[in-house]
Amino acid sequence: MKPANQEPSVVAAYMMELAGGVSAGLGVSLLTHSSVKTWEEAGKIRCFRVPERFRYSVVSFVYRRDLFRTSAFDKFAEQILRTPRLVRKEKK
């Protein structure tokens, strides 16, 4: 558990920015219910469950090979490849 005076992580701050935009009427977002439960309880946003048939989809990670790749990019790509449920092997 973090001390009360510690700043939220960058990811948590970004998710709160998304929720803030939604509550301001600027759009919709797909976030975990646990991350916005307090906003829903406060009546700032409305939450809807994604129907089972739409919960999983194939997403492709596409990038240009001719651009300089940073170490952060390489670590991100490496993490994706190490997570088996995220990787679908292409048929040859």
Side-chain angles (χ1 to χ4, degrees):
M1 184 163 212
K2 291 191 225 179
N5 61 351
Q6 189 173 352
E7 293 294 318
S9 71
V10 173
V11 173
Y14 178 72
M15 289 175 67
M16 291 302 97
E17 291 295 323
L18 286 173
V22 170
S23 72
L26 298 176
V28 299
S29 186
L30 292 173
L31 297 168
T32 61
H33 187 252
S34 61
S35 68
V36 294
K37 187 176 180 182
T38 56
W39 289 64
E40 180 185 33
E41 290 170 349
K44 294 180 179 180
I45 61 173
R46 289 180 19 187
C47 295
F48 301 93
R49 292 184 65 82
V50 175
E52 183 71 32
R53 66 182 181 168
F54 299 117
R55 289 185 190 175
Y56 304 96
S57 64
V58 176
V59 177
S60 298
F61 182 64
V62 180
Y63 63 94
R64 289 181 52 171
R65 291 182 183 262
D66 62 334
L67 296 180
F68 177 74
R69 290 179 19 197
T70 65
S71 61
F73 176 90
D74 287 340
K75 289 290 183 186
F76 177 72
E78 179 184 311
Q79 182 63 37
I80 289 174
L81 293 174
R82 281 193 295 163
T83 309
R85 65 183 175 78
L86 296 179
V87 177
R88 182 185 79 181
K89 300 197 184 221
E90 295 295 327
K91 295 178 183 176
K92 292 185 178 187

